[in-house]
Amino acid sequence: MTPLEKIAKKHNDWLSIVKSFGCNPEIAEDIVQECYIKLDGLLKSGIDISYGSSDINYYYVYKTLKALYIDLYRKEKKIFKVGVEALDKYIFEEEQKPPKDINSKIKELDTLLDKVSWYNKKVFEIVTSGTSIMELSRKTGISYYSLYNTFTNVKKLIKKEIKWD
């Protein structure tokens, strides 16, 4: 009999242990199954979780179950549950907002970029097209800080002049 089969014989004991942590029966069953998977992986990697050849290490199984329960509890704490009423309200509010007119904002951006100097416009276009400031600095021989300040100033101007509703 393999060690995993020995562990599986005590399935009801493992379920009662996990239920004692405060889990409902369905969650307890899932945690015990996860424990089997975890222990099977450990056994396949050569880790021995038995006392001699006849008995299994109950404490190790208990600690594995406890760790899986705590991990599940932490994940559930991070999940923010929203009621259906709040979701309906959110959807209703989103439907009431008019869609943002992207094309007019692009025209505003083009008009604004036409007002800035050709150098500022070119630096902004090159950096926003995907070239890093460091790479542009190496290629042109222009100081990194000069290019960075130029790009930052154009971004500030755009944020200041173009407003989203």
mmCIF file with all atom_site columns, all heavy atoms in Angstrom, residues 62-82:
data_model
loop_
_atom_site.group_PDB
_atom_site.id
_atom_site.type_symbol
_atom_site.label_atom_id
_atom_site.label_alt_id
_atom_site.label_comp_id
_atom_site.label_asym_id
_atom_site.label_entity_id
_atom_site.label_seq_id
_atom_site.pdbx_PDB_ins_code
_atom_site.Cartn_x
_atom_site.Cartn_y
_atom_site.Cartn_z
_atom_site.occupancy
_atom_site.B_iso_or_equiv
_atom_site.pdbx_formal_charge
_atom_site.auth_seq_id
_atom_site.auth_comp_id
_atom_site.auth_asym_id
_atom_site.auth_atom_id
_atom_site.pdbx_PDB_model_num
ATOM 1   N N   . TYR A 1 62 ? -1.843  17.223 8.990  1.00 0.00 ? 62 TYR A N   1
ATOM 2   C CA  . TYR A 1 62 ? -2.601  18.273 9.680  1.00 0.00 ? 62 TYR A CA  1
ATOM 3   C C   . TYR A 1 62 ? -2.067  19.651 9.308  1.00 0.00 ? 62 TYR A C   1
ATOM 4   O O   . TYR A 1 62 ? -2.834  20.559 9.005  1.00 0.00 ? 62 TYR A O   1
ATOM 5   C CB  . TYR A 1 62 ? -2.516  18.059 11.202 1.00 0.00 ? 62 TYR A CB  1
ATOM 6   C CG  . TYR A 1 62 ? -3.088  19.208 11.991 1.00 0.00 ? 62 TYR A CG  1
ATOM 7   C CD1 . TYR A 1 62 ? -4.455  19.317 12.208 1.00 0.00 ? 62 TYR A CD1 1
ATOM 8   C CD2 . TYR A 1 62 ? -2.256  20.200 12.501 1.00 0.00 ? 62 TYR A CD2 1
ATOM 9   C CE1 . TYR A 1 62 ? -4.990  20.381 12.918 1.00 0.00 ? 62 TYR A CE1 1
ATOM 10  C CE2 . TYR A 1 62 ? -2.779  21.265 13.209 1.00 0.00 ? 62 TYR A CE2 1
ATOM 11  C CZ  . TYR A 1 62 ? -4.144  21.358 13.416 1.00 0.00 ? 62 TYR A CZ  1
ATOM 12  O OH  . TYR A 1 62 ? -4.664  22.413 14.109 1.00 0.00 ? 62 TYR A OH  1
ATOM 13  N N   . LYS A 1 63 ? -0.752  19.830 9.342  1.00 0.00 ? 63 LYS A N   1
ATOM 14  C CA  . LYS A 1 63 ? -0.151  21.121 9.023  1.00 0.00 ? 63 LYS A CA  1
ATOM 15  C C   . LYS A 1 63 ? -0.422  21.506 7.569  1.00 0.00 ? 63 LYS A C   1
ATOM 16  O O   . LYS A 1 63 ? -0.648  22.671 7.262  1.00 0.00 ? 63 LYS A O   1
ATOM 17  C CB  . LYS A 1 63 ? 1.357   21.104 9.283  1.00 0.00 ? 63 LYS A CB  1
ATOM 18  C CG  . LYS A 1 63 ? 1.711   21.216 10.736 1.00 0.00 ? 63 LYS A CG  1
ATOM 19  C CD  . LYS A 1 63 ? 1.092   22.443 11.312 1.00 0.00 ? 63 LYS A CD  1
ATOM 20  C CE  . LYS A 1 63 ? 2.007   23.180 12.216 1.00 0.00 ? 63 LYS A CE  1
ATOM 21  N NZ  . LYS A 1 63 ? 1.400   24.394 12.756 1.00 0.00 ? 63 LYS A NZ  1
ATOM 22  N N   . THR A 1 64 ? -0.434  20.523 6.665  1.00 0.00 ? 64 THR A N   1
ATOM 23  C CA  . THR A 1 64 ? -0.738  20.789 5.264  1.00 0.00 ? 64 THR A CA  1
ATOM 24  C C   . THR A 1 64 ? -2.186  21.252 5.125  1.00 0.00 ? 64 THR A C   1
ATOM 25  O O   . THR A 1 64 ? -2.477  22.221 4.412  1.00 0.00 ? 64 THR A O   1
ATOM 26  C CB  . THR A 1 64 ? -0.485  19.544 4.405  1.00 0.00 ? 64 THR A CB  1
ATOM 27  O OG1 . THR A 1 64 ? 0.871   19.119 4.586  1.00 0.00 ? 64 THR A OG1 1
ATOM 28  C CG2 . THR A 1 64 ? -0.714  19.825 2.940  1.00 0.00 ? 64 THR A CG2 1
ATOM 29  N N   . LEU A 1 65 ? -3.095  20.574 5.807  1.00 0.00 ? 65 LEU A N   1
ATOM 30  C CA  . LEU A 1 65 ? -4.505  20.975 5.765  1.00 0.00 ? 65 LEU A CA  1
ATOM 31  C C   . LEU A 1 65 ? -4.687  22.377 6.330  1.00 0.00 ? 65 LEU A C   1
ATOM 32  O O   . LEU A 1 65 ? -5.421  23.198 5.768  1.00 0.00 ? 65 LEU A O   1
ATOM 33  C CB  . LEU A 1 65 ? -5.366  19.973 6.552  1.00 0.00 ? 65 LEU A CB  1
ATOM 34  C CG  . LEU A 1 65 ? -5.523  18.582 5.946  1.00 0.00 ? 65 LEU A CG  1
ATOM 35  C CD1 . LEU A 1 65 ? -6.151  17.637 6.959  1.00 0.00 ? 65 LEU A CD1 1
ATOM 36  C CD2 . LEU A 1 65 ? -6.341  18.643 4.674  1.00 0.00 ? 65 LEU A CD2 1
ATOM 37  N N   . LYS A 1 66 ? -4.034  22.662 7.428  1.00 0.00 ? 66 LYS A N   1
ATOM 38  C CA  . LYS A 1 66 ? -4.135  23.970 8.059  1.00 0.00 ? 66 LYS A CA  1
ATOM 39  C C   . LYS A 1 66 ? -3.595  25.063 7.136  1.00 0.00 ? 66 LYS A C   1
ATOM 40  O O   . LYS A 1 66 ? -4.204  26.125 6.984  1.00 0.00 ? 66 LYS A O   1
ATOM 41  C CB  . LYS A 1 66 ? -3.381  23.970 9.399  1.00 0.00 ? 66 LYS A CB  1
ATOM 42  C CG  . LYS A 1 66 ? -3.514  25.229 10.204 1.00 0.00 ? 66 LYS A CG  1
ATOM 43  C CD  . LYS A 1 66 ? -4.865  25.341 10.813 1.00 0.00 ? 66 LYS A CD  1
ATOM 44  C CE  . LYS A 1 66 ? -4.895  26.484 11.813 1.00 0.00 ? 66 LYS A CE  1
ATOM 45  N NZ  . LYS A 1 66 ? -6.188  26.641 12.421 1.00 0.00 ? 66 LYS A NZ  1
ATOM 46  N N   . ALA A 1 67 ? -2.458  24.789 6.480  1.00 0.00 ? 67 ALA A N   1
ATOM 47  C CA  . ALA A 1 67 ? -1.864  25.766 5.568  1.00 0.00 ? 67 ALA A CA  1
ATOM 48  C C   . ALA A 1 67 ? -2.774  26.026 4.374  1.00 0.00 ? 67 ALA A C   1
ATOM 49  O O   . ALA A 1 67 ? -2.940  27.177 3.947  1.00 0.00 ? 67 ALA A O   1
ATOM 50  C CB  . ALA A 1 67 ? -0.500  25.277 5.085  1.00 0.00 ? 67 ALA A CB  1
ATOM 51  N N   . LEU A 1 68 ? -3.395  24.993 3.848  1.00 0.00 ? 68 LEU A N   1
ATOM 52  C CA  . LEU A 1 68 ? -4.317  25.161 2.729  1.00 0.00 ? 68 LEU A CA  1
ATOM 53  C C   . LEU A 1 68 ? -5.554  25.957 3.150  1.00 0.00 ? 68 LEU A C   1
ATOM 54  O O   . LEU A 1 68 ? -6.055  26.797 2.398  1.00 0.00 ? 68 LEU A O   1
ATOM 55  C CB  . LEU A 1 68 ? -4.724  23.805 2.155  1.00 0.00 ? 68 LEU A CB  1
ATOM 56  C CG  . LEU A 1 68 ? -3.625  23.068 1.388  1.00 0.00 ? 68 LEU A CG  1
ATOM 57  C CD1 . LEU A 1 68 ? -4.055  21.642 1.093  1.00 0.00 ? 68 LEU A CD1 1
ATOM 58  C CD2 . LEU A 1 68 ? -3.281  23.797 0.107  1.00 0.00 ? 68 LEU A CD2 1
ATOM 59  N N   . TYR A 1 69 ? -6.044  25.707 4.354  1.00 0.00 ? 69 TYR A N   1
ATOM 60  C CA  . TYR A 1 69 ? -7.188  26.462 4.869  1.00 0.00 ? 69 TYR A CA  1
ATOM 61  C C   . TYR A 1 69 ? -6.838  27.939 5.032  1.00 0.00 ? 69 TYR A C   1
ATOM 62  O O   . TYR A 1 69 ? -7.591  28.817 4.616  1.00 0.00 ? 69 TYR A O   1
ATOM 63  C CB  . TYR A 1 69 ? -7.651  25.882 6.207  1.00 0.00 ? 69 TYR A CB  1
ATOM 64  C CG  . TYR A 1 69 ? -8.620  26.790 6.918  1.00 0.00 ? 69 TYR A CG  1
ATOM 65  C CD1 . TYR A 1 69 ? -9.929  26.905 6.483  1.00 0.00 ? 69 TYR A CD1 1
ATOM 66  C CD2 . TYR A 1 69 ? -8.218  27.559 7.996  1.00 0.00 ? 69 TYR A CD2 1
ATOM 67  C CE1 . TYR A 1 69 ? -10.824 27.759 7.121  1.00 0.00 ? 69 TYR A CE1 1
ATOM 68  C CE2 . TYR A 1 69 ? -9.087  28.407 8.636  1.00 0.00 ? 69 TYR A CE2 1
ATOM 69  C CZ  . TYR A 1 69 ? -10.397 28.501 8.193  1.00 0.00 ? 69 TYR A CZ  1
ATOM 70  O OH  . TYR A 1 69 ? -11.265 29.354 8.811  1.00 0.00 ? 69 TYR A OH  1
ATOM 71  N N   . ILE A 1 70 ? -5.681  28.233 5.621  1.00 0.00 ? 70 ILE A N   1
ATOM 72  C CA  . ILE A 1 70 ? -5.265  29.618 5.832  1.00 0.00 ? 70 ILE A CA  1
ATOM 73  C C   . ILE A 1 70 ? -5.071  30.317 4.494  1.00 0.00 ? 70 ILE A C   1
ATOM 74  O O   . ILE A 1 70 ? -5.458  31.474 4.319  1.00 0.00 ? 70 ILE A O   1
ATOM 75  C CB  . ILE A 1 70 ? -3.987  29.672 6.695  1.00 0.00 ? 70 ILE A CB  1
ATOM 76  C CG1 . ILE A 1 70 ? -4.318  29.237 8.128  1.00 0.00 ? 70 ILE A CG1 1
ATOM 77  C CG2 . ILE A 1 70 ? -3.348  31.049 6.670  1.00 0.00 ? 70 ILE A CG2 1
ATOM 78  C CD1 . ILE A 1 70 ? -3.116  29.054 9.026  1.00 0.00 ? 70 ILE A CD1 1
ATOM 79  N N   . ASP A 1 71 ? -4.495  29.604 3.527  1.00 0.00 ? 71 ASP A N   1
ATOM 80  C CA  . ASP A 1 71 ? -4.304  30.178 2.196  1.00 0.00 ? 71 ASP A CA  1
ATOM 81  C C   . ASP A 1 71 ? -5.648  30.534 1.569  1.00 0.00 ? 71 ASP A C   1
ATOM 82  O O   . ASP A 1 71 ? -5.815  31.615 0.994  1.00 0.00 ? 71 ASP A O   1
ATOM 83  C CB  . ASP A 1 71 ? -3.546  29.193 1.314  1.00 0.00 ? 71 ASP A CB  1
ATOM 84  C CG  . ASP A 1 71 ? -3.135  29.791 -0.017 1.00 0.00 ? 71 ASP A CG  1
ATOM 85  O OD1 . ASP A 1 71 ? -2.709  30.956 -0.019 1.00 0.00 ? 71 ASP A OD1 1
ATOM 86  O OD2 . ASP A 1 71 ? -3.241  29.093 -1.036 1.00 0.00 ? 71 ASP A OD2 1
ATOM 87  N N   . LEU A 1 72 ? -6.625  29.649 1.686  1.00 0.00 ? 72 LEU A N   1
ATOM 88  C CA  . LEU A 1 72 ? -7.958  29.912 1.152  1.00 0.00 ? 72 LEU A CA  1
ATOM 89  C C   . LEU A 1 72 ? -8.601  31.095 1.881  1.00 0.00 ? 72 LEU A C   1
ATOM 90  O O   . LEU A 1 72 ? -9.217  31.956 1.257  1.00 0.00 ? 72 LEU A O   1
ATOM 91  C CB  . LEU A 1 72 ? -8.837  28.670 1.290  1.00 0.00 ? 72 LEU A CB  1
ATOM 92  C CG  . LEU A 1 72 ? -10.274 28.832 0.821  1.00 0.00 ? 72 LEU A CG  1
ATOM 93  C CD1 . LEU A 1 72 ? -10.308 28.964 -0.694 1.00 0.00 ? 72 LEU A CD1 1
ATOM 94  C CD2 . LEU A 1 72 ? -11.109 27.653 1.259  1.00 0.00 ? 72 LEU A CD2 1
ATOM 95  N N   . TYR A 1 73 ? -8.443  31.160 3.188  1.00 0.00 ? 73 TYR A N   1
ATOM 96  C CA  . TYR A 1 73 ? -9.004  32.252 3.980  1.00 0.00 ? 73 TYR A CA  1
ATOM 97  C C   . TYR A 1 73 ? -8.418  33.589 3.543  1.00 0.00 ? 73 TYR A C   1
ATOM 98  O O   . TYR A 1 73 ? -9.129  34.576 3.390  1.00 0.00 ? 73 TYR A O   1
ATOM 99  C CB  . TYR A 1 73 ? -8.731  32.000 5.465  1.00 0.00 ? 73 TYR A CB  1
ATOM 100 C CG  . TYR A 1 73 ? -9.236  33.096 6.362  1.00 0.00 ? 73 TYR A CG  1
ATOM 101 C CD1 . TYR A 1 73 ? -10.597 33.243 6.615  1.00 0.00 ? 73 TYR A CD1 1
ATOM 102 C CD2 . TYR A 1 73 ? -8.360  33.990 6.949  1.00 0.00 ? 73 TYR A CD2 1
ATOM 103 C CE1 . TYR A 1 73 ? -11.066 34.247 7.440  1.00 0.00 ? 73 TYR A CE1 1
ATOM 104 C CE2 . TYR A 1 73 ? -8.817  35.009 7.762  1.00 0.00 ? 73 TYR A CE2 1
ATOM 105 C CZ  . TYR A 1 73 ? -10.171 35.127 8.015  1.00 0.00 ? 73 TYR A CZ  1
ATOM 106 O OH  . TYR A 1 73 ? -10.629 36.133 8.814  1.00 0.00 ? 73 TYR A OH  1
ATOM 107 N N   . ARG A 1 74 ? -7.100  33.633 3.304  1.00 0.00 ? 74 ARG A N   1
ATOM 108 C CA  . ARG A 1 74 ? -6.456  34.875 2.863  1.00 0.00 ? 74 ARG A CA  1
ATOM 109 C C   . ARG A 1 74 ? -6.972  35.302 1.498  1.00 0.00 ? 74 ARG A C   1
ATOM 110 O O   . ARG A 1 74 ? -7.181  36.478 1.247  1.00 0.00 ? 74 ARG A O   1
ATOM 111 C CB  . ARG A 1 74 ? -4.946  34.688 2.796  1.00 0.00 ? 74 ARG A CB  1
ATOM 112 C CG  . ARG A 1 74 ? -4.295  34.672 4.137  1.00 0.00 ? 74 ARG A CG  1
ATOM 113 C CD  . ARG A 1 74 ? -2.806  34.542 4.023  1.00 0.00 ? 74 ARG A CD  1
ATOM 114 N NE  . ARG A 1 74 ? -2.208  34.406 5.329  1.00 0.00 ? 74 ARG A NE  1
ATOM 115 C CZ  . ARG A 1 74 ? -1.121  33.723 5.584  1.00 0.00 ? 74 ARG A CZ  1
ATOM 116 N NH1 . ARG A 1 74 ? -0.484  33.111 4.607  1.00 0.00 ? 74 ARG A NH1 1
ATOM 117 N NH2 . ARG A 1 74 ? -0.647  33.644 6.794  1.00 0.00 ? 74 ARG A NH2 1
ATOM 118 N N   . LYS A 1 75 ? -7.154  34.340 0.611  1.00 0.00 ? 75 LYS A N   1
ATOM 119 C CA  . LYS A 1 75 ? -7.662  34.674 -0.724 1.00 0.00 ? 75 LYS A CA  1
ATOM 120 C C   . LYS A 1 75 ? -9.079  35.213 -0.636 1.00 0.00 ? 75 LYS A C   1
ATOM 121 O O   . LYS A 1 75 ? -9.441  36.138 -1.351 1.00 0.00 ? 75 LYS A O   1
ATOM 122 C CB  . LYS A 1 75 ? -7.626  33.452 -1.636 1.00 0.00 ? 75 LYS A CB  1
ATOM 123 C CG  . LYS A 1 75 ? -6.239  33.082 -2.090 1.00 0.00 ? 75 LYS A CG  1
ATOM 124 C CD  . LYS A 1 75 ? -6.258  31.842 -2.951 1.00 0.00 ? 75 LYS A CD  1
ATOM 125 C CE  . LYS A 1 75 ? -4.861  31.421 -3.310 1.00 0.00 ? 75 LYS A CE  1
ATOM 126 N NZ  . LYS A 1 75 ? -4.843  30.132 -4.014 1.00 0.00 ? 75 LYS A NZ  1
ATOM 127 N N   . GLU A 1 76 ? -9.899  34.633 0.237  1.00 0.00 ? 76 GLU A N   1
ATOM 128 C CA  . GLU A 1 76 ? -11.283 35.102 0.376  1.00 0.00 ? 76 GLU A CA  1
ATOM 129 C C   . GLU A 1 76 ? -11.333 36.511 0.962  1.00 0.00 ? 76 GLU A C   1
ATOM 130 O O   . GLU A 1 76 ? -12.225 37.272 0.636  1.00 0.00 ? 76 GLU A O   1
ATOM 131 C CB  . GLU A 1 76 ? -12.094 34.138 1.239  1.00 0.00 ? 76 GLU A CB  1
ATOM 132 C CG  . GLU A 1 76 ? -12.486 32.872 0.513  1.00 0.00 ? 76 GLU A CG  1
ATOM 133 C CD  . GLU A 1 76 ? -13.323 31.941 1.373  1.00 0.00 ? 76 GLU A CD  1
ATOM 134 O OE1 . GLU A 1 76 ? -13.451 32.190 2.585  1.00 0.00 ? 76 GLU A OE1 1
ATOM 135 O OE2 . GLU A 1 76 ? -13.822 30.961 0.823  1.00 0.00 ? 76 GLU A OE2 1
ATOM 136 N N   . LYS A 1 77 ? -10.375 36.857 1.820  1.00 0.00 ? 77 LYS A N   1
ATOM 137 C CA  . LYS A 1 77 ? -10.359 38.197 2.395  1.00 0.00 ? 77 LYS A CA  1
ATOM 138 C C   . LYS A 1 77 ? -10.086 39.246 1.330  1.00 0.00 ? 77 LYS A C   1
ATOM 139 O O   . LYS A 1 77 ? -10.549 40.369 1.436  1.00 0.00 ? 77 LYS A O   1
ATOM 140 C CB  . LYS A 1 77 ? -9.282  38.297 3.475  1.00 0.00 ? 77 LYS A CB  1
ATOM 141 C CG  . LYS A 1 77 ? -9.730  37.788 4.827  1.00 0.00 ? 77 LYS A CG  1
ATOM 142 C CD  . LYS A 1 77 ? -8.655  37.921 5.860  1.00 0.00 ? 77 LYS A CD  1
ATOM 143 C CE  . LYS A 1 77 ? -8.373  39.348 6.209  1.00 0.00 ? 77 LYS A CE  1
ATOM 144 N NZ  . LYS A 1 77 ? -7.417  39.520 7.294  1.00 0.00 ? 77 LYS A NZ  1
ATOM 145 N N   . LYS A 1 78 ? -9.336  38.888 0.290  1.00 0.00 ? 78 LYS A N   1
ATOM 146 C CA  . LYS A 1 78 ? -8.992  39.836 -0.757 1.00 0.00 ? 78 LYS A CA  1
ATOM 147 C C   . LYS A 1 78 ? -10.137 40.045 -1.737 1.00 0.00 ? 78 LYS A C   1
ATOM 148 O O   . LYS A 1 78 ? -10.133 40.988 -2.497 1.00 0.00 ? 78 LYS A O   1
ATOM 149 C CB  . LYS A 1 78 ? -7.757  39.359 -1.522 1.00 0.00 ? 78 LYS A CB  1
ATOM 150 C CG  . LYS A 1 78 ? -6.495  39.397 -0.701 1.00 0.00 ? 78 LYS A CG  1
ATOM 151 C CD  . LYS A 1 78 ? -5.322  38.895 -1.488 1.00 0.00 ? 78 LYS A CD  1
ATOM 152 C CE  . LYS A 1 78 ? -4.070  38.856 -0.625 1.00 0.00 ? 78 LYS A CE  1
ATOM 153 N NZ  . LYS A 1 78 ? -2.940  38.288 -1.344 1.00 0.00 ? 78 LYS A NZ  1
ATOM 154 N N   . ILE A 1 79 ? -11.097 39.160 -1.738 1.00 0.00 ? 79 ILE A N   1
ATOM 155 C CA  . ILE A 1 79 ? -12.204 39.253 -2.675 1.00 0.00 ? 79 ILE A CA  1
ATOM 156 C C   . ILE A 1 79 ? -13.264 40.176 -2.095 1.00 0.00 ? 79 ILE A C   1
ATOM 157 O O   . ILE A 1 79 ? -13.756 39.954 -0.992 1.00 0.00 ? 79 ILE A O   1
ATOM 158 C CB  . ILE A 1 79 ? -12.799 37.857 -2.967 1.00 0.00 ? 79 ILE A CB  1
ATOM 159 C CG1 . ILE A 1 79 ? -11.754 36.969 -3.639 1.00 0.00 ? 79 ILE A CG1 1
ATOM 160 C CG2 . ILE A 1 79 ? -14.045 37.983 -3.828 1.00 0.00 ? 79 ILE A CG2 1
ATOM 161 C CD1 . ILE A 1 79 ? -12.188 35.522 -3.796 1.00 0.00 ? 79 ILE A CD1 1
ATOM 162 N N   . PHE A 1 80 ? -13.601 41.195 -2.822 1.00 0.00 ? 80 PHE A N   1
ATOM 163 C CA  . PHE A 1 80 ? -14.627 42.134 -2.398 1.00 0.00 ? 80 PHE A CA  1
ATOM 164 C C   . PHE A 1 80 ? -15.925 41.715 -3.053 1.00 0.00 ? 80 PHE A C   1
ATOM 165 O O   . PHE A 1 80 ? -16.044 41.704 -4.276 1.00 0.00 ? 80 PHE A O   1
ATOM 166 C CB  . PHE A 1 80 ? -14.245 43.564 -2.797 1.00 0.00 ? 80 PHE A CB  1
ATOM 167 C CG  . PHE A 1 80 ? -15.257 44.579 -2.389 1.00 0.00 ? 80 PHE A CG  1
ATOM 168 C CD1 . PHE A 1 80 ? -15.432 44.903 -1.064 1.00 0.00 ? 80 PHE A CD1 1
ATOM 169 C CD2 . PHE A 1 80 ? -16.051 45.195 -3.335 1.00 0.00 ? 80 PHE A CD2 1
ATOM 170 C CE1 . PHE A 1 80 ? -16.364 45.848 -0.682 1.00 0.00 ? 80 PHE A CE1 1
ATOM 171 C CE2 . PHE A 1 80 ? -16.992 46.138 -2.971 1.00 0.00 ? 80 PHE A CE2 1
ATOM 172 C CZ  . PHE A 1 80 ? -17.145 46.457 -1.641 1.00 0.00 ? 80 PHE A CZ  1
ATOM 173 N N   . LYS A 1 81 ? -16.897 41.340 -2.258 1.00 0.00 ? 81 LYS A N   1
ATOM 174 C CA  . LYS A 1 81 ? -18.165 40.866 -2.790 1.00 0.00 ? 81 LYS A CA  1
ATOM 175 C C   . LYS A 1 81 ? -19.131 42.031 -2.921 1.00 0.00 ? 81 LYS A C   1
ATOM 176 O O   . LYS A 1 81 ? -19.305 42.812 -2.002 1.00 0.00 ? 81 LYS A O   1
ATOM 177 C CB  . LYS A 1 81 ? -18.742 39.779 -1.890 1.00 0.00 ? 81 LYS A CB  1
ATOM 178 C CG  . LYS A 1 81 ? -17.834 38.554 -1.830 1.00 0.00 ? 81 LYS A CG  1
ATOM 179 C CD  . LYS A 1 81 ? -18.363 37.487 -0.928 1.00 0.00 ? 81 LYS A CD  1
ATOM 180 C CE  . LYS A 1 81 ? -17.385 36.321 -0.893 1.00 0.00 ? 81 LYS A CE  1
ATOM 181 N NZ  . LYS A 1 81 ? -17.786 35.304 0.030  1.00 0.00 ? 81 LYS A NZ  1
ATOM 182 N N   . VAL A 1 82 ? -19.757 42.123 -4.082 1.00 0.00 ? 82 VAL A N   1
ATOM 183 C CA  . VAL A 1 82 ? -20.675 43.210 -4.382 1.00 0.00 ? 82 VAL A CA  1
ATOM 184 C C   . VAL A 1 82 ? -22.054 42.620 -4.575 1.00 0.00 ? 82 VAL A C   1
ATOM 185 O O   . VAL A 1 82 ? -22.221 41.620 -5.275 1.00 0.00 ? 82 VAL A O   1
ATOM 186 C CB  . VAL A 1 82 ? -20.243 43.956 -5.665 1.00 0.00 ? 82 VAL A CB  1
ATOM 187 C CG1 . VAL A 1 82 ? -21.217 45.050 -6.004 1.00 0.00 ? 82 VAL A CG1 1
ATOM 188 C CG2 . VAL A 1 82 ? -18.848 44.500 -5.506 1.00 0.00 ? 82 VAL A CG2 1
#
